[in-house]
Amino acid sequence: MLKQILSEMYIDPDLLAELSEEQKQILFFKMREEQIRRWKEREAAMEKKESMPVTSRPKKENGKSVHWKLGADKEVWVWVMGEHHLDKPYDVLCNEIIAERAQLKAEREAEDLRKTQSKEFANNLKMKSQYYDLQAPDTQETQNICKKAATEEEKLGKGSRPAPLLEEEKIAKKEPEKKTQDEELKQIDEEKAKQIYKSWKEDSEWQASLRKSKAADEKRRSLAKQAREDYKRLSLAAEKGSGEGPQSPPGVLQKPKRPPLPPKPHFLNPAGYPPKPLRNQGVRRTASNSAQEDIIRWFKEEQLPLRAGYQTTSDTIAPWFHGILTLKRANELLSTCEPGSFLVRVSERIKGYALSYLSEDGCKHFLIDASTDSYSFLGVDRLQHATLAALVDYHKVEPITSLGKELLLYPCGQQGEPPDYLELFE
C-alpha cells in the first residue's frame, strides 16, 4: 500500500482521515524523499542532455547575426556599474546630479531677476524723461537731464548695468540658491530616512519568517528522528522475540504460516429472549452497499483463514474485535470507557483494520495494513505480526509510538445484542 502511494504521489482523503498526526508526518516525509529522488534523476538527465554536442544550424544567406564582445578571458565582456575602482559610488553620483540641477535652477532664477530689474530701471528712466519734458522743455537743465537719461538708456540697451545694483543683484542671486540647496538637502535626508526604515522593516519581517521556517524544519527533523528510533527499537524487539524459532537468513523476511481455520462460532441468545433469525433472507443489499459487500467478501475469503478476530490460544472471538464500524461509532463506544481502552474494527472504507485507542487527550485511530499475509501499523512502524491477535498482544507491553505511549490495557467489548461482527462470520 505504501509503495502504491509513493508511486502515484497521491493518497485518498478517506485513507488520510484514518491516519494520526504522527502517521501523517511520517507519510509526508516518505513522499518528500520520493520527490527529491525523482528531482535528482531529472537533473542528472538534463545535465547529460546538455553535455551532448549541439549541432550548429546552417547559416542563411544575408542573415543577420549578433556577435558578443569578448574579454581577455575569451568570455562575453560584461561591465557592472560600481565594480571598477574608478567608478563613483551611487550616493556620490546622486549628490552630484542634485547639486548640478540646483545650480542650474539658481542661475535661471537669477537671470530672470536680472531681466526684471533691468526692465523696471528702463521704465523709470523713461518716465523721468517724460516728466522733465512736460515741466521745462526749453531750459538748459532739462536738456542736460534728457541727454543724461538718453546716454544711460543707450548704455542699458548695450547690456551694461548700473553700479549700485551689482551688490543687490549678488545678494538676490545667493539667497534663492542657498534656499534651493537647503530644500534639496532636506529632501535627500527625508528620502534616506524612509529608505532606511523600509529596509529595516523588510529585514525584520524576513528574519521572523526565517525563524518560523527554521522552527518548522527542526520539528520535522525531530519527528523523523523519533520515527527512525521507534523503527529500530521495534525491529530489535522483533529480532529478540523471534530468536527462539528457526533463524532465517539476514535481510530475508520469513513468510508467516497460515494457522488452521477455526470452527464457526456459536452465539447464545441472552436468557429470557426467544431466538431470533440472524438475517432476514428476504432482504437483499442494494447497489449502494456494494463497497460493504466487497469488504465482507474480502474478510471471509482472505482474513478468516488467518484467524482474524480470534484469540491467540482459543477459538473464541476476542473481546476487542468489532465488525464494520464508522469512526463516529468507535468514538461513541470508547467514550464510555476509561483511558487505555481500545478496540479493533474493520474499516468501512478500505480493506483493512483500524485500531481505535482512548488516551487522556482523546481518541486516536491507527490504520493496520493487512494487504499481505501479516499485520503491521501503516506509517508508525513496519514490524510485522503473523496474526491480528499477536499484534494486539505485542502492544500490550510495547507502546505504539514513543511520543504517545499508547499501551493497549483495556479491551472495549460489545455493547448490546447482537454483536456487530455477525455478518462477517455468517
Side-chain angles (χ1 to χ4, degrees):
M1 187 182 296
L2 183 60
K3 291 182 179 179
Q4 182 180 1
I5 292 173
L6 293 178
S7 63
E8 298 177 357
M9 297 302 288
Y10 172 78
I11 181 170
D12 189 77
D14 296 334
L15 180 59
L16 185 63
E18 297 285 344
L19 298 176
S20 65
E21 288 299 323
E22 189 172 358
Q23 291 173 331
K24 291 178 183 177
Q25 291 287 345
I26 295 173
L27 182 60
F28 292 159
F29 176 75
K30 296 288 184 184
M31 295 176 73
R32 181 58 179 166
E33 282 185 343
E34 180 66 16
Q35 286 179 345
I36 293 172
R37 186 188 65 79
R38 293 183 183 180
W39 176 79
K40 287 181 178 179
E41 290 180 355
R42 186 171 65 252
E43 288 293 321
M46 290 179 66
E47 289 179 359
K48 185 177 179 181
K49 186 177 179 182
E50 290 176 357
S51 62
M52 295 175 64
V54 182
T55 57
S56 59
R57 297 181 180 178
K59 294 184 179 180
K60 298 181 181 178
E61 295 183 358
N62 300 326
K64 296 181 180 180
S65 61
V66 177
H67 299 281
W68 298 98
K69 184 178 179 181
L70 302 179
D73 55 353
K74 303 302 181 182
E75 296 292 336
V76 178
W77 185 82
V78 180
W79 174 72
V80 180
M81 181 180 177
E83 288 189 352
H84 196 267
H85 66 280
L86 297 178
D87 291 344
K88 295 180 180 179
Y90 178 74
D91 297 338
V92 175
L93 291 175
C94 290
N95 293 334
E96 288 181 356
I97 292 170
I98 292 169
E100 186 178 353
R101 289 179 180 175
Q103 185 178 358
L104 291 174
K105 187 177 180 182
E107 290 177 357
R108 198 180 299 111
E109 290 178 353
E111 184 67 22
D112 294 340
L113 182 63
R114 189 189 64 78
K115 288 180 180 179
T116 304
Q117 289 179 352
S118 299
K119 191 174 181 180
E120 290 178 357
F121 181 71
N123 291 333
N124 289 335
L125 288 177
K126 190 174 182 180
M127 289 175 65
K128 284 181 181 180
S129 63
Q130 290 176 359
Y131 174 76
Y132 286 115
D133 286 342
L134 291 173
Q135 292 294 329
D138 297 332
T139 59
Q140 187 67 26
E141 187 179 356
T142 304
Q143 290 177 2
N144 294 334
I145 291 171
C146 289
K147 287 179 181 179
K148 187 178 180 181
T151 306
E152 290 178 355
E153 188 175 4
E154 244 178 60
K155 290 180 180 179
L156 186 62
K158 291 179 182 179
S160 60
R161 294 180 294 178
L165 294 175
L166 289 175
E167 294 297 331
E168 296 177 0
E169 188 174 346
K170 287 181 181 179
I171 295 171
K173 182 179 179 180
K174 288 180 180 179
E175 287 180 356
E177 184 177 354
K178 186 177 180 182
K179 187 177 180 181
T180 307
Q181 289 179 355
D182 293 341
E183 290 178 355
E184 293 289 342
L185 291 173
K186 187 177 179 181
Q187 188 176 0
I188 291 170
D189 293 338
E190 290 178 356
E191 289 177 358
K192 285 184 178 179
K194 288 180 181 178
Q195 189 175 3
I196 290 170
Y197 175 74
K198 185 178 179 181
S199 63
W200 172 81
K201 188 176 180 181
E202 291 176 354
D203 185 65
S204 61
E205 291 176 355
W206 180 79
Q207 290 290 345
S209 63
L210 183 63
R211 285 194 297 271
K212 289 181 181 178
S213 63
K214 284 183 178 179
D217 290 341
E218 189 64 29
K219 185 177 180 181
R220 283 193 292 271
R221 287 195 199 96
S222 63
L223 289 174
K225 183 179 179 182
Q226 191 65 42
R228 288 194 295 269
E229 291 177 355
D230 290 344
Y231 176 74
K232 290 179 181 178
R233 178 177 56 81
L234 295 173
S235 300
L236 291 173
E239 290 176 1
K240 291 179 181 178
S242 60
E244 299 175 359
Q247 296 293 331
S248 59
V252 179
L253 181 65
Q254 188 176 4
K255 186 176 180 181
K257 296 181 180 180
R258 292 196 175 192
L261 184 66
K264 188 173 180 180
H266 299 281
F267 304 102
L268 301 176
N269 292 311
Y273 288 89
K276 295 181 180 179
L278 298 179
R279 290 179 59 86
N280 187 358
Q281 302 296 333
V283 178
R284 293 185 179 181
R285 294 182 181 272
T286 59
S288 61
N289 293 329
S290 60
Q292 190 170 356
E293 290 177 355
D294 291 341
I295 293 173
I296 294 173
R297 189 182 307 111
W298 162 80
F299 182 85
K300 290 180 178 180
E301 294 176 358
E302 299 184 15
Q303 296 300 303
L304 272 182
L306 296 175
R307 293 177 55 86
Y310 285 88
Q311 291 186 0
T312 308
T313 56
S314 64
D315 294 334
T316 57
I317 304 297
W320 40 261
F321 185 76
H322 288 257
I324 301 175
L325 293 183
T326 62
L327 187 70
K328 183 179 178 181
R329 178 57 181 163
N331 290 338
E332 290 176 356
L333 291 175
L334 289 173
S335 63
T336 60
C337 302
E338 57 181 320
S341 300
F342 70 98
L343 60 88
V344 178
R345 56 189 172 87
V346 180
S347 178
E348 61 170 339
R349 296 191 178 115
I350 62 172
K351 293 177 181 179
Y353 302 93
L355 189 145
S356 300
Y357 179 82
L358 180 63
S359 64
E360 296 290 344
D361 300 329
C363 291
K364 297 181 180 180
H365 304 275
F366 302 92
L367 280 180
I368 299 175
D369 185 10
S371 57
T372 60
D373 291 339
S374 59
Y375 301 88
S376 62
F377 283 111
L378 181 63
V380 177
D381 63 75
R382 301 303 299 167
L383 185 62
Q384 298 182 353
H385 303 271
T387 61
L388 195 60
L391 183 144
V392 173
D393 292 340
Y394 177 79
H395 288 289
K396 287 180 180 179
V397 181
E398 292 291 334
I400 299 175
T401 62
S402 58
L403 294 177
K405 305 292 183 184
E406 300 92 354
L407 289 175
L408 308 182
L409 301 177
Y410 314 109
C412 180
Q414 299 288 329
Q415 296 182 6
E417 293 291 340
D420 51 24
Y421 50 72
L422 280 180
E423 57 184 353
L424 299 175
F425 295 94
E426 290 178 350

